[in-house]
Every structure is written in structure tokens, then in C-alpha cells.
Amino acid sequence: MIRVGETLLEVRGLSKRYDGFRALEEVDLSLQAGHVKGIMGPNGAGKSTLLRLLAGEIEVTSGSVVFAGRAVTELSVDRTSNLGISYMPQRPSVFPALTVEENVRGAAQTSLILNRTDDESSVKTLLDLVGLGERAGVRAVELPFGEKRLLDLAMALATRPRLLLADEPTAGVDRGSAETILGLLRDLSLPDSRGDFGLKGLIFTEHDREILFDFPDEIGFLHAGELIVEDVPEQVKSHELVRNYLANQRVFEDFKGDVGKDA
Amino acid sequence: MSKLAFGLLNGVVWGTVLALLSSGLNVVFGLMGTVNVAHGSLYMFGAYLAWICFSFLDSFWLSLIVSPLAVGLVGVSIGFLLKPVRKDPILTVLGTFGITILLQGSTLVLWGGTPRRVPLPFDSTFSLFGTGYSFYRIFVALVSGLVLYCLWFLVERTKFGLRLRASREDPELSSAIGIPVFNLFLLGFALGGALAGLSGALIAPLVSLTPEMGLRIFAIVFLIVIIGGLGKIWRSVVVAIYFAVFRGLASIFLDSTKGLILTFSLALLVVLVNPSILGRSSANANGS
Amino acid sequence: MQMEASWNLGKLLTVFVVVLTVFGVLPLFLGRFQVVLVTEALILGVYALSFDLIFGYAGMLSFGQSIFFGVGAYTILYSFKGGLGLAVSLLLAVFVAGFFGLLVGGAIVRIKGAKFFLVTLVGSILFYLLALDNRWLTGGSDGMVVPTVFPGLAENYYLVLGVSVTAILFALILVRSPLGLVLKMIRDNERRAGLLGYSLKKYKVITFTIGGGIAGLAGGLYAYTSGFVSAGFFHWTRSADAVVWTILGGAGTVVGPFLGAALLTVVSDILSAVVGNIYPVVVGALLVLAVVVFPRGVFGLLEGTIRNWKGDSGG
């Protein structure tokens, strides 16, 4: 049982190298239970690599990851998921030939097997939570981009994770779906989260500063594989490198909001 | 002792032909990411063309020109036919497999299942350990070697080769910078087909021709390409020679079937024990 | 209640009972030779089904089903020689072949995609060569006689029908079960299945084991009814057959493989009377056509046509 205030995730010296290319270099971070952390940084900084390492999808070059007191560095992706870390990839990753309902049910099966919930109507609950209740019988391949992302989130939550890693959850998503996603993430990460989902921590990567400086407890700034700064939003905002980065980003702000058509 | 020398020499000769074949498969597979199961049947088709040239046109030598051209054309047609599915590895396997059956079946219908023979185009031998060794075999090895060299030059030293390699690395980017990816795709098929056709024609006087020779050879060639490494044409050449020599020697000490079993088992073991050999596709599959 | 996108349980059961009745009375209306064809098609349908489970549901293109077909056949041979009865022998065939499936699956599960296909092809060739070479065990290409009390395809029609029906029921229950859902997920998006916590290796090996067992059942049945078994049972063309029937009939449906096997058995029979040897040409052409034009096979076409008639009900 993880209580608020305990350390949920402890990462030390995490590095990933590809044949000489340093994707991630000596990253230290930690997440307290009940906290939300946002990771920001330019493209190619290593944000996705970081999350994928935590999820166990790629192998660590060096460093350690400890989750709720357990060393998970060497574990395979399915073992990591079973322990309670759920990863929502950067682009929607659903099961195209299956219906929305089957997608979520397939995801929820693991939590049933692992006895985290005996609520058989959880599939319906999840679908309603993301607003796909009416679309249960639709094949996933037919969904527009935003709804695919909602389905993605529902699936990631269906495994009843303790820690959710979301890679740019709202990227390319239409405004309506983005709001649903963010609202849900915000609600679920409150200490007294509704439905008692059991979600104890959230780490997500993001480009949008409004989201980043809105609800996470801490923000980390990743640049060229290094975690330059990691602190509460006010401190991060005033860091010189971050200010530079944000200033340059302004150019692209106008384009946001038009993205959201089918990818 | 002479048996050993012969076995070794035969192995090398056969190895160069296998090398030619695997290079053809590699051009299409390793460089373009498409599996052409019909590659073996193209080889078979080239061999049968040689038989046709000999039987009906009275000239074996003609086939050395006709086979590469004709089979190259067939190769292009295959590439064209499978255009809609070329991005899906499973569908390309199935589709080219269908073509294999088609080619094999057609050959069976047209020329029957009785093994066909093409006599050696020239009889001269040279003395090796007291027995005659056919000059033609040496000729085959030399021609294969020459063609391999030209291929190397084409792939590593010309703009065409560069574009070919680029479109395998990143088809979208290549397309964006103006490389005509699909045309290259077809050209790759043409080249692969031509190489298969030539191999078939060259080997025709040394083996007996049956419609099934295609798929049998395909398994061997594909194994070689995988062990050598996808797209690594030159490593596959080396593997091909090792493979053929091993097979040749094994067949001397054991019988032919056992030799084949041993060779296959060993090759399979290599592939199983070292799955990292099996291409870099999985590294790219999960996104950046 | 599950929300299947197509057939619901009630509809399925009705169709099933109807089809069963039809098959039950079929021999009364057909000549002996036609009964032979139907029996053969049923056995081969079960065989194709084993491939469909591995390919159409778990997404693995395996050219190695002939291995388990042969293992099942020879298990039956030695089981009878050992004096065991039919029921026990068939079960034994399933388990031994399934065990081989476990071994082979376990060995190759790490390998992905098109290379997987090659490894299974080579494996199939290897087993064939081994069978050919070890005459003392297999009788080589000449084979051995199976001491069946009542040999003959037509004579064993009802036995075969019963076994096929059991196999189909088993498969239907499997694909609609949680395990079936996992297989479909692996087929559709392996990566996400892994991220959700499913061990890909474990489930692929399970599929291979089940597929092997069912192929073994078909092989055993075939050996029993023809009273004969040979190294040819292991030949890679048998593997290819399973692939072709399933693709043409419709992969990823339990019925498709049977449709494919039935259709092609009949077609092969008709064609051989017209022009000898033209069958492979036709099959090859059909396969290419199927891949490029209608990958969902005959079953997909039928399903699509029925849906269009009904005005596209969807969910």
C-alpha cells in the first residue's frame, strides 16, 4: 500500500546510449506518491526515451530505476506493466481490427487476472470516463485521431496502474478530446481521486506550456539527454535555458489548435 | 585425397553461384526490405530458359544473355504486381509465395516433371590429381566472380547504388528528396531477377532441372542472406561459400541427404542462437 | 454480454445446428467418391484450422505445420502398433504433437516477422529430410501401413465429422475467450499487447502448442483413415497447403480454413480431370489474387456480401 508522501519512483544515473549516440545521460529524478511531474524539452531531447526506459521497453545502458521499493531496471516491459507502471506511447497505439470495447476489455483483463479489481463493469466505466461509451462497437481503426487517443488513455488506465507514463498525451489531438484527456488526468491525480482508481503518480511529457505550468507539481527540463533542471514550476520558469527555450517556442504557438485532424 | 580436392573445388564453384543468387535476393530483400519468395523460382526459370535455348535454339551460350534479361523482366512484373502490398512483410511473403507456386506449376505443365539435362557447352577438362576436372566449372566460378565484382561496384560506388541504399534506409525521406523510390523498387527487382536468371543459366549444365529446384534453393539462399546479414551483400557472399563448401565436404563423408541435414541444422542453429543477426527491423519498428 | 461486431451466440448456434444436420445426412445423398472428398476436406480443414489459429489469430506466419501433422500421424501408427485403442491414440497424437509444438515454439518465439516464416520453412524441410533419412522409424518415402481395423475415408465419415465438429467447437470457444482476445491483440499490435502486460513469448508458445496439437489431430486422423503414413506427411508442401487453404478461405475466422480446404479439394479434383497438373498454377494465381485483391478470403467476401444485403448493420 503506497501512501501519499512515500517515494513512488526513484531514478538514479539513468543513461541510454546507442552506438555512441547519447540519448540520455545520467538522469536523476524521483516522484513522490500523489505527485504529478511534467517533462518538457525540445524534440529529440530524450523525453520519449526516458519514458520508454521507465516502462521497460528499451534496455538501460546504465543506472537504476526503483519503483515502490522494487528494482525494475532489468525487467521486461510486460513484467514492468504488471507491477503497476503503465505507458501510453507517443502516437496512438490501439488494436485496429478490434472494437473499442474489445480494446479496453483486453487491457482490463490484466487487472482482473492480477486481482486489482473484481469490478466486471469496469470496461463500461472506463469507456464512459473518456467519453467513448457510445462508440463501444466501433472498430478502432475507424476512429478519428482524437478518439484513438482517448481509447489509448482508457487502455492505459484499464490496467489499474500505480504510475502512469503519458507521452505527449494531447499532441495532435483536437481541442475537445484534449480537454477530456487533461481533465481526466488532473482528476485522477488528485490525492482523493474519484473512483479510487489507485493511480498514485503521473509523469507526462508535453510541449504546451499552458498545460505544463498548470497542474504538475514538478517540472523537469530535458535537453540533449540531460535533465537540466527539475523543480517546482516557478523555479523552472525562471531558469535561463528554459526561458530561452520558451522564447523560441513562441513562434509555433500560433499553429497549435489547428492540429487535430486525422493523423 | 583427390575426393577431398574435388569436393572442395565443387564447393567453391557452387558457392560462387549461391553467392550470386544470394546477392540477387539481398538486393531486393536487404536493400529494399521486400521478401521475394519467388527468387528461387526465378532461378529455376533461368535454368529452364537455358534448356530451352539449348534444345530449341541450339545454343546454350545464348541463354547467358536471354536468361538475365527475361528473368529480369519477370522480376519487374512481380514488383509491379505486388505494388499495393509491398509495405506489408506478411502479404509480400504470401504474394511472392503464390508466384512461386504459379511459376513452379507452369513449368510443370509446360515441360513436365521429368528432370531435364543440359549438356556441358564444352568438354575440355584439365587434369587434377589424375582425374579430369571440367573447365566449365571454373568458367562458372569466374563468371560469377566477375558479375559479383560488377555488382559490388554498382552498389557501393555508383549513384544508383547509393540511392538504392538510401531508399531502404528511409523510403519517405528518400522520396522527399527526389529519389524515385518506386522506380528503384522495380529496378531492384529487375536486378535481383537478372542475377537469379543468370545463376540458373550458369548452373544448368551442372545439375538436373526439375520444377521444384526453385523452392529448395530458396530456403538455402534465404538462410544465407539472414546469416550474412540483411543488406550486407558481401558478408552473404562469404557465408554462401562457407555453406557450399561445408555441404560439399559433408556430402563426401556422409551421404547427400545427411549432408544436407547437417548443413541445414547448423545454419538453423546459427540463426536461432543469434537472433540479433535477424535484421535491424525490430529496432526501427517501435518508432524513434 | 460481449458485443461482437458480427455473429452473436444465438445466430451462431442456429447456423451450427443447421450445418451439422446437413452434414449428418449428407452420405445418404452422395456417391461414395464424393463422401471420400468431403471426409478428406474435413480432415484437411482441421489441419488448416491449426494454421489459422497461429496465423489468423496470433499473427505468426508459420510454414511449419507439416511438422506436427507428421508427428501426429506417426504417433497414431506407433500407438496402434503398441496396441492402444482409437480414442487413446487420437488423444496421444494431440498431446505428442502439441508437445512438439511447445518445443518448436519455445525455440523460435524470439524471432519476428518474415524471418519467422523462413525459420519455420527450414524447420519443415529439416523434419522432412530427417523423416526421409530414418527409414527404420518412418519407412522413408515408401512409408508404413497403419493397422486400422476399418480403413477408408468414406467408411470413417462420421468419425471424422465428430472430430471436426469437436475441433471447431473448441476453436470457437477459444477465440471468444479471454485467451482468444489476447491472441487477437498480439496479432493486431504486438507492441501494445506487451505494454499492457502480456508476455508475448508465453502466449505465442501457447498458441504454437495448441496449433501443433490440432495439426497432430488432423495428421493422426488422416493416417488412420488412409491406413498409411509416410515421410511425405512432413513435406513442406503440406505446410504450404495449410497456408493456402486458410488464406483463400479466410484467415482469422474459424470457418474460413474449412471453406478453403473444401473448395480447393473439390477444385483440385475437378481440374485434375481436365488438364493434368494445372492445379498448382490455379492455386498460385488465386493466392496472388487473394493477397492483392481480397486478403480476407472467400469468407470475407461472403461476409461482406451478406452484410451488404442486410443493409450494413454494423455493431
Side-chain angles (χ1 to χ4, degrees), chain A residues 57 81 93-94 97 106 109 152, chain C residues 178 188-189 191-192 195-196 198:
Chain A
E57 210 184 20
S81 175
S93 184
V94 296
Q109 261 176 197
D152 238 352
Chain C
D188 268 14
N189 188 343
R191 180 197 185 198
R192 196 61 202 266
L195 285 175
L196 290 173
Y198 293 104

Side-chain angles (χ1 to χ4, degrees), chain A residues 57 77-78 81-82 87 89 93-98 101 106 109-110 139 152, chain C residues 3-5 178 181-182 184-185 188-189 191-199:
Chain A
E57 210 184 20
V77 60
D78 47 281
S81 175
N82 289 334
Y87 172 54
S93 184
V94 296
F95 303 109
L98 304 180
E101 191 268 342
Q109 261 176 197
T110 43
R139 285 194 202 276
D152 238 352
Chain C
M3 290 187 260
E4 293 286 345
L181 186 57
V182 177
K184 289 184 217 173
M185 288 196 283
D188 268 14
N189 188 343
R191 180 197 185 198
R192 196 61 202 266
L195 285 175
L196 290 173
Y198 293 104
S199 165

Side-chain angles (χ1 to χ4, degrees), chain B residues 101-102 109 215 258 272 281, chain C residues 110 115 133 236 277 280-281:
Chain B
I101 304 179
L102 190 62
V109 169
L215 199 65
K258 285 201 174 64
L272 285 179
S281 48
Chain C
R110 283 180 300 167
K115 301 99 184 175
D133 201 49
W236 65 263
N277 288 326
V281 179

Side-chain angles (χ1 to χ4, degrees), chain B residues 81 84 90-91 93-95 97-99 101-102 105-106 108-109 215 219 222 226 258 261 264-265 268 272 275 278 281, chain C residues 55 61 63 107 110-111 114-115 117-118 122 125-126 129 133 191 236 240 243 247 277 280-281 284-285 287-288 291-292:
Chain B
L81 202 61
I90 290 188
L91 288 182
V93 167
L94 289 172
F97 178 65
I99 293 178
I101 304 179
L102 190 62
S106 313
L108 190 63
V109 169
L215 199 65
F222 200 1
I226 282 188
K258 285 201 174 64
I261 291 178
F264 264 131
S265 309
L268 199 60
L272 285 179
L278 297 175
S281 48
Chain C
F55 175 65
L61 182 58
F63 258 65
R110 283 180 300 167
I111 302 173
K115 301 99 184 175
F117 138 78
L118 169 80
V122 173
I125 294 177
L126 208 52
L129 289 174
D133 201 49
R191 180 197 185 198
W236 65 263
V243 176
I247 304 289
N277 288 326
V281 179
L287 189 57
V288 177
V291 164
V292 177

Side-chain angles (χ1 to χ4, degrees), chain A residues 89-90 145-153 167-169 173:
Chain A
Q90 195 175 11
F145 190 85
E147 288 186 356
K148 275 202 186 106
R149 214 61 177 126
L150 289 170
L151 180 57
D152 238 352
L153 182 59
D167 208 339
E168 297 192 34
V173 170

